[in-house]
Amino acid sequence: MKFLDEYRNYSAVRQMAQAIQRVAKRPWTLMEVCGGQTYTIVKTGLQDLLPRGITLVHGPGCPVCVTPLEMIDRAIATALRPEVILCSFGDMLRVPGSTQSLLDAKASGADVRIVYSPLDALQLARANPNREVVFFAVGFETTAPANAMAVWQAEREKIPNFSMLVSHVLVPPAMEAILGSLDCRVQAFLAAGHVCMVMGYEEYVPISRKYRVPIVVTGFEPLDLLEGVLMAVEQLEDGRAEVANQYARAVRRSGNLPAQERIAEVFEVTPRAWRGIGEIPSSGLRLREAYRRFDAETRFAMDIDRVEESRECIAGLVLRGLRKPFECPAFGTRCTPDTPLGAPMVSSEGACAAYFHFGRRKEDGHSIVSTATAGH
Ligand code: SF4
């Protein structure tokens, strides 16, 4: 497949890994931001191709993983109202709240449905005028345009029974929170290519300068990721800290301006709590005043307290790159994809689930690029 197979080509991947071997003289720790990138790295064993001193740690870029516990509880409380049809993406249904998941609520009679787009939820609202249809809107800048579009469309059509439970998060403030923490070990970032497709990468320039870290906008295939690593390591070895674009086939510096305009029209920036990390200033989106009547939190007043995470789950450390999933005592025993204690064990983009599925129980793992994805 054009633009896919060539980025999984085994000999090209090998050559890129050898280029990193030649350039890397000192140990460096790099964080890939996005859960999709984590998935590729773990599935294909890219870490095993890197020099021993180059460590990849996994960032907070899994939307299911960072949606706070109390927001899951709020979604469940909303879903349990008899007039409500609550819609969300499939992974969100399995994430444990403080006492149950949306899937448990569905099993006990709540009308919870999986949709593939917020526009599907809008269609449900049109088709069910006597019910309240609530879309649970989670995710990063990548999903924000479609969610903004759905609210904008609902406003245009004056659809009264559609609302959104918004838990949107923004990547740059999370990167700053990680870089600003005393225990930060990240020396360079591989930024998420699809987020930058929407938002561009201008906003990373001040972060790179302030914290003296290279930030490389990177794609999702094995060759993309290794080239991103190479571009970051070259900067680190040269003592440079710049924003660079590995994913130039998809990302422009200014991003997708019409999508940004739609987001800005419907949403405004707000503080947001991240599961396992805590509140980060200016790191979320909420509906603007002009669209607030579509806000499910306003429509269905809910008194949900902030809830403590399981003491056993070290997801906050995993999401900040301070621990690997296999360093969690519950990994693979009390916490598995069938019995998740924390959100990173639920989504395919969650680091814990990826480590579990691909059998990575320690750092010096077993696999290199698998023949299934090597494209040879
Ligand atoms: S393995 Fe489970 S309990 Fe441990 S950090 Fe991951 S999600 Fe949390």
Side-chain angles (χ1 to χ4, degrees):
M1 186 186 290
K2 189 76 177 153
F3 298 134
L4 197 53
D5 291 343
E6 50 273 69
Y7 291 92
R8 299 176 179 182
N9 180 276
Y10 186 69
S11 56
V13 165
R14 275 276 182 204
Q15 283 172 23
M16 192 64 75
Q18 285 162 0
I20 298 169
Q21 297 271 0
R22 286 193 295 274
V23 169
K25 308 283 186 245
R26 288 168 284 172
W28 303 107
T29 298
L30 285 61
M31 172 178 277
E32 83 279 356
V33 171
C34 173
Q37 293 170 327
T38 303
Y39 180 87
T40 302
I41 289 165
V42 178
K43 179 179 179 184
T44 58
L46 289 186
Q47 176 73 64
D48 301 342
L49 292 178
L50 297 176
R52 278 207 167 268
I54 305 293
T55 303
L56 297 178
V57 294
H58 317 305
C62 157
V64 168
C65 304
V66 298
T67 302
L69 206 51
E70 55 268 25
M71 196 52 94
I72 311 272
D73 286 350
R74 213 161 272 161
I76 292 167
T78 309
L80 288 169
R81 299 174 73 105
E83 74 275 28
V84 166
I85 301 172
L86 188 120
C87 312
S88 191
F89 300 132
D91 278 352
M92 279 313 298
L93 269 59
R94 297 181 51 239
V95 181
S98 59
T99 57
Q100 60 177 330
S101 65
L102 277 165
L103 209 54
D104 296 327
K106 183 176 172 64
S108 65
D111 194 346
V112 178
R113 304 190 192 181
I114 293 173
V115 292
Y116 297 97
S117 152
L119 294 175
D120 293 345
L122 204 55
Q123 182 53 31
L124 265 177
R126 291 189 196 99
N128 294 274
N130 298 323
R131 305 284 301 279
E132 285 284 342
V133 175
V134 181
F135 180 70
F136 191 13
V138 300
F140 293 87
E141 293 91 328
T142 35
T143 51
N147 292 342
M149 195 69 197
V151 173
W152 181 81
Q153 187 67 26
E155 163 66 20
R156 281 189 69 191
E157 293 182 38
K158 305 286 180 233
I159 297 178
N161 62 326
F162 174 78
S163 60
M164 211 170 248
L165 184 58
V166 181
S167 188
H168 264 297
V169 281
L170 301 170
V171 167
M175 290 165 70
E176 280 217 70
I178 289 168
L179 289 167
S181 63
L182 292 176
D183 48 7
C184 173
R185 58 189 289 226
V186 177
Q187 293 165 298
F189 277 108
L190 306 184
H194 50 7
V195 168
C196 297
M197 275 174 67
V198 176
M199 302 305 291
Y201 52 89
E202 288 279 4
E203 56 189 333
Y204 296 119
V205 173
I207 299 174
S208 171
R209 286 195 186 130
K210 179 177 175 185
Y211 295 96
R212 298 284 311 149
V213 288
I215 300 176
V216 181
V217 179
T218 303
F220 301 88
E221 296 300 327
L223 199 54
D224 288 321
L225 286 154
L226 287 184
E227 189 173 29
V229 171
L230 177 64
M231 292 167 74
V233 170
E234 282 174 339
Q235 287 196 45
L236 289 165
E237 291 288 349
D238 292 349
R240 290 181 289 124
E242 297 160 5
V243 178
N245 183 13
Q246 181 278 329
Y247 204 34
R249 68 185 185 280
V251 172
R252 282 177 297 178
R253 189 177 186 94
S254 56
N256 182 334
L257 295 176
Q260 291 169 32
E261 282 163 16
R262 185 66 73 219
I263 294 171
E265 182 186 334
V266 172
F267 292 119
E268 63 186 4
V269 173
T270 185
R272 182 70 71 196
W274 293 56
R275 189 168 191 173
I277 297 177
E279 185 166 302
I280 303 176
S282 305
S283 70
L285 295 174
R286 68 175 178 186
L287 290 166
R288 284 189 182 279
E289 188 63 43
Y291 293 92
R292 204 63 62 77
R293 65 184 166 284
F294 295 103
D295 186 355
E297 288 192 73
T298 310
R299 190 172 295 191
F300 309 104
M302 284 165 261
D303 200 12
I304 303 284
D305 293 332
R306 182 158 287 190
V307 192
E308 288 296 314
E309 293 282 346
S310 150
R311 284 174 189 266
E312 216 175 354
C313 178
I314 62 163
L317 297 174
V318 173
L319 295 173
R320 287 185 291 137
L322 298 171
R323 293 280 188 282
K324 291 285 179 114
F326 50 72
E327 294 177 278
C328 173
F331 175 80
T333 53
R334 290 177 301 288
C335 183
T336 69
D338 288 335
T339 55
L341 287 180
M345 191 54 99
V346 175
S347 165
S348 62
E349 294 194 357
C352 300
Y355 273 68
F356 182 89
H357 285 305
F358 300 111
R360 299 192 68 89
R361 306 298 164 111
K362 52 186 172 42
E363 198 60 271
D364 52 344
H366 60 282
S367 66
I368 55 173
V369 177
S370 72
T371 50
T373 57
H376 66 158

